[in-house]
Amino acid sequence: MLRQRLPFTSTVTLAMLALAVATGTLWQAAEDHAAYPFVAYGLPSLEAGRWWTMLTGPFFAVIPWYYLPMAGSFALFAGFAEWKLGTRRAIAVTIGGQLVSVLVATQFLALCRNSGWLWAERVAGSLDVGFSGGALAAVAVASATLRPPWALRLRAGLCVYAGVAIVYVGTLADLVHFFALLLALPLGKRLVGAKRAPSAGPNLREWRLFAVAGLLLLTVAEVVMFLVPGNGPFGSTEGVSLSAPELGVLVVLVVPMLNGLRKGGRVAWRWAVALSAFVTLQGLAVATLVGLADVFGGDYDTEGLTLFFVDNLLWTVELVVLIAARHAFRVPSRRRLRRHAQGPGPALARTLLGRHGGSTLSWMTTWPRNTYFVREDGRSYLAYRQHAGVAVALGDPIAPDGTAAATVTEFTTMCENSGLVPCVFSATEATVAATRELGWQHVQVAEDNVLDLEGLEFRGKAWQDVRSALNKAAKQEIDFRLVRLADQPEPILAQVRALSEEWMAGKAMPEMGFTLGGLDEAMDPATRVGLAVDAEGTVHGVTSWLPVHTGAGTIGGWTLDVMRRSAHGFRPVMEFLIASACLAFREEGARFVSLSGAPLARSSGFPARPVDRVLESLGRVMEPYYGFRSLHAFKAKFQPRHVPLYLAFRDEADLPRIGLALSRAYLPDVRLRELAKLVSSSRAR
């Protein structure tokens, strides 16, 4: 299958391994073989007329253990390019990139070797093997097929690698890699035929990525100089690299800085500016001393100082980037964020929801524990919960017609300025369309089950279970009451609490929240509650219904939330309660009811995307504890129409954090260790 999909990559990789075995270079260094000069490329080979080394060299590695990174990186990079570009174009880019990068590197050395540049004289006489130049050129070109911000992330990683290698190590292979990326990156979009988008300048995330990539490059360079001392284009790292204690201090300082800069933290930016400025001033001080030594005829090591000044120049560039990108680092400290976290409460949310209307889940935005983002004009909002550095917005924006996209855009800006990852959970198609304009992705996470009440009649074979429940309830003198739970007498409330406790006692995991309410939410006077009560006053089942506002203060429908039944009572009580509520709401003028959507459940199978497969697996794990899929199948007997609900997110890199945030939103009082134990125990069954 893989060989059919990636014939070029698989053929070349197998050829590398076969030749390694046939020639013995898999267990003996190729450079120790007498034939090495006749298969390795480099300036000596080309000057001797051994042009074929350009074709033979890519299939070998210098020493045996190099085969693992060489063949592995080729399979990864060239395979990715072949997957994205197609076989023919990948062949052209990979082979062309290898030949051109080697030729340019050797010609560069030929021009520089007699200039007195010691590094060029030394490297000009070396030979090398490997297909890494072509592989890097291929992945650089294929990066143009990726959507933002993945293209920039991949290119930043490639540039960090090539920059550190050529400046601080400087072998022939590093020079080939440098020219491969230097030539391929600018030509990527043209070679893959991608349309050039109008340039609007880097956004906040891109500025942050530039700063992080620069600081990461400089830190990795210091680690490389300490672990792998070399003699690169700008001199030896000896005398320039940090000592072990100094390197330890640098790493301890930089690691939290990188995380803070990634989030746009103001404090991290200040520390990064201070560090870059300190190194820059150190370079200026040394330059001043060197100038004075020139005036007074002092002695100093010119070659060692060259690398020192190059290193300081890179820190100066990082300082310039940080200053130019200062607008991207305005996220205050956590303490200050908590101090200013107070915002409008549920009262404003209910007012705006009644005025503009919302989706079938919108009443849940008025529940406790929600935080509210309100636009500057005060006419629209998004409710969200903040966990694990993620702002999980619940449902569609509550906004006047035509302003939902603007609300999501401003919410995203707020999140970026607060160091939060934005996402919208249980959004409808309308909100997904608005986020798609921002370049976001989406995945279906549930299905809303909507039942239209106009003309609803429980006739036909499909409604047999529902009719039977209504008829049996009448025979057993079980009445339906549609009430406000808070107004009920204490004996009724005590029975409702007992039903809920009985239901929870059979669960291995605690009651969930976020989009699943409990008795506290059912006590809200705006919520209607359906009770199944027999002639003796025994409560057999409970349902709660949330209002669905459709604008201008009207309630157009109701959403099912709480479902509790007695294990020893009237068996088809849920069918009875739901059917009776539908008839009662229709009499009051409601147009529809929503039976709500069960998380991680849907009527059709999950697509083949990796994120969908993860959701499918998670749904199977959670089923024994909460029965979401069984509940979804139960609701199907009411013949609802299915409305997809989605998770909208910026890109796949945010998904691990979003998954953690959702688990905390649904189970805020459960520790991750306890959740992991329950999940592992379910897999062991």
Side-chain angles (χ1 to χ4, degrees):
M1 176 78 179
L2 187 61
R3 186 166 184 176
Q4 293 176 351
R5 184 66 180 85
L6 305 174
F8 169 66
T9 304
S10 55
T11 299
V12 172
T13 304
L14 290 174
M16 290 177 182
L17 299 178
L19 285 171
V21 173
T23 60
T25 54
L26 191 58
W27 47 82
Q28 183 181 2
E31 59 185 355
D32 294 337
H33 283 244
Y36 183 69
F38 297 93
V39 296
Y41 50 75
L43 186 56
S45 292
L46 293 181
E47 289 183 333
R50 297 190 291 268
W51 56 267
W52 61 84
T53 57
M54 300 285 291
L55 304 177
T56 57
F59 292 91
F60 295 92
V62 175
I63 56 179
W65 76 267
Y66 277 14
Y67 272 104
L68 180 61
M70 191 267 288
S73 63
F74 180 86
L76 178 64
F77 293 160
F80 171 73
E82 189 171 6
W83 188 278
K84 302 295 289 187
L85 305 177
T87 299
R88 292 184 179 180
R89 192 171 292 180
I91 291 174
V93 170
T94 306
I95 296 178
Q98 175 72 20
L99 295 176
V100 172
S101 60
V102 171
L103 284 173
V104 173
T106 53
Q107 292 307 306
F108 175 80
L109 292 172
L111 292 173
C112 298
R113 65 178 171 180
N114 296 321
S115 63
W117 192 356
L118 297 179
W119 169 82
E121 292 178 11
R122 185 181 70 255
V123 176
S126 63
L127 297 174
D128 195 24
V129 289
F131 219 143
S132 52
L136 285 172
V139 74
V141 170
S143 68
T145 65
L146 298 178
R147 57 180 176 80
W150 289 104
L152 184 59
R153 288 171 179 166
L154 178 55
R155 291 171 179 175
L158 293 173
C159 290
V160 167
Y161 161 73
V164 170
I166 189 60
V167 173
Y168 299 99
V169 182
T171 64
L172 176 58
D174 299 323
L175 188 63
V176 170
H177 299 165
F178 174 77
F179 281 116
L181 294 178
L182 185 67
L183 298 171
L185 284 174
L187 298 176
K189 288 188 176 181
R190 188 170 299 175
L191 291 175
V192 302
K195 294 182 179 179
R196 291 181 177 270
S199 177
N203 56 32
L204 292 182
R205 296 180 78 192
E206 290 170 342
W207 274 120
R208 292 170 184 174
L209 182 59
F210 292 151
V212 168
L215 187 57
L216 181 63
L217 182 152
L218 291 164
T219 306
V220 171
E222 298 294 346
V223 174
V224 169
M225 283 194 293
F226 178 80
L227 297 177
V228 189
N231 194 3
F234 303 104
S236 173
T237 59
E238 187 178 353
V240 178
S241 61
L242 300 177
S243 64
E246 291 172 333
L247 182 62
V249 171
L250 178 66
V251 171
V252 169
L253 287 175
V254 166
V255 169
M257 271 189 230
L258 290 172
N259 189 45
L261 291 175
R262 179 184 62 82
K263 297 178 179 180
R266 187 181 302 164
V267 173
W269 177 83
R270 289 172 178 169
W271 275 97
V273 167
L275 177 61
S276 302
F278 171 77
V279 179
T280 299
L281 292 175
Q282 185 183 46
L284 290 175
V286 172
T288 302
L289 293 176
V290 169
L292 293 174
D294 276 337
V295 172
F296 296 104
D299 250 347
Y300 54 88
D301 181 7
T302 307
E303 185 178 356
L305 282 175
T306 303
L307 181 59
F308 174 82
F309 286 131
V310 169
D311 187 64
N312 275 267
L313 178 61
L314 294 176
W315 279 99
T316 304
V317 172
E318 173 69 3
L319 177 62
V320 172
V321 170
L322 287 168
I323 294 174
R326 60 189 179 278
H327 64 284
F329 301 97
R330 295 178 177 175
V331 179
S333 65
R334 290 185 179 181
R335 182 181 301 177
R336 186 167 297 182
L337 280 173
R338 285 194 295 267
R339 191 182 305 162
H340 295 88
Q342 300 297 326
L348 177 61
R350 295 192 181 201
T351 299
L352 294 177
L353 180 58
R355 183 183 304 166
H356 305 307
S359 71
T360 55
L361 300 183
S362 292
W363 186 257
M364 299 174 186
T365 65
T366 68
W367 287 352
R369 295 194 179 188
N370 287 328
T371 305
Y372 298 94
F373 165 75
V374 180
R375 287 190 67 191
E376 291 184 358
D377 60 9
R379 300 177 60 201
S380 58
Y381 76 88
L382 266 170
Y384 68 94
R385 299 200 184 181
Q386 181 179 332
H387 297 283
V390 179
V392 184
L394 174 58
D396 297 339
I398 308 304
D401 291 342
T403 63
T407 304
V408 174
T409 301
E410 289 190 19
F411 171 73
T412 303
T413 302
M414 181 277 295
C415 290
E416 290 179 340
N417 290 333
S418 303
L420 299 173
V421 174
C423 69
V424 184
F425 184 73
S426 291
T428 63
E429 292 276 5
T431 299
V432 166
T435 57
R436 192 178 287 116
E437 295 178 2
L438 301 175
W440 286 25
Q441 304 298 301
H442 68 276
V443 60
Q444 185 176 340
V445 292
E447 268 179 349
D448 196 2
N449 297 276
V450 180
L451 187 59
D452 295 309
L453 298 180
E454 185 178 357
L456 176 65
E457 295 183 0
F458 303 124
R459 295 181 179 179
K461 185 177 181 180
W463 295 98
Q464 184 174 347
D465 290 347
V466 176
R467 287 197 309 272
S468 297
L470 292 171
N471 293 333
K472 288 180 180 179
K475 291 178 182 179
Q476 298 182 26
E477 297 183 350
I478 295 178
D479 294 332
F480 173 75
R481 301 179 186 177
L482 190 60
V483 301
R484 314 280 181 186
L485 189 59
D487 298 335
Q488 295 305 293
E490 183 57 33
I492 295 292
L493 290 177
Q495 291 189 69
V496 171
R497 294 191 195 100
L499 284 180
S500 183
E501 291 172 0
E502 179 186 345
W503 181 82
M504 284 303 305
K507 303 294 182 183
M509 294 181 71
E511 189 172 11
M512 300 182 80
F514 196 34
T515 62
L516 300 168
L519 290 189
D520 290 341
E521 288 76 18
M523 293 291 287
D524 190 326
T527 300
R528 307 288 290 278
V529 172
L531 301 175
V533 186
D534 64 16
E536 298 178 355
T538 301
V539 177
H540 290 256
V542 182
T543 55
S544 71
W545 298 85
L546 311 175
V548 181
H549 288 270
T550 53
T554 61
I555 296 176
W558 296 85
T559 295
L560 177 63
D561 184 27
V562 171
M563 298 172 65
R564 304 286 188 267
R565 64 182 297 273
S566 172
H568 309 290
F570 180 54
R571 188 187 62 79
V573 66
M574 281 302 142
E575 290 90 337
F576 166 69
L577 282 170
I578 293 174
S580 300
C582 289
L583 297 175
F585 287 136
R586 185 178 65 182
E587 290 297 320
E588 294 179 358
R591 302 196 310 272
F592 61 89
V593 297
S594 164
L595 304 183
S596 69
L600 305 176
R602 55 196 290 181
S603 56
S604 58
F606 282 79
R609 292 189 305 171
V611 63
D612 291 291
R613 290 197 295 268
V614 170
L615 292 176
E616 170 73 11
S617 301
L618 183 58
R620 286 198 301 268
V621 169
M622 301 299 290
E623 179 64 18
Y625 298 106
Y626 292 106
F628 292 140
R629 297 181 179 185
S630 302
L631 180 61
H632 190 70
F634 165 78
K635 294 174 181 178
K637 64 176 60 180
F638 290 91
Q639 314 302 312
R641 56 183 172 88
H642 300 296
V643 179
L645 298 176
Y646 299 93
L647 167 67
F649 55 95
R650 294 183 304 182
D651 62 73
E652 293 83 353
D654 293 335
L655 285 176
R657 274 179 165 248
I658 292 173
L660 178 60
L662 285 171
S663 68
R664 301 299 296 161
Y666 273 107
L667 298 166
D669 301 321
V670 177
R671 295 181 178 180
L672 291 178
R673 184 178 301 175
E674 298 172 359
L675 182 62
K677 287 182 179 178
L678 289 169
V679 170
S680 61
S681 65
S682 72
R683 290 179 176 175
R685 292 177 182 176

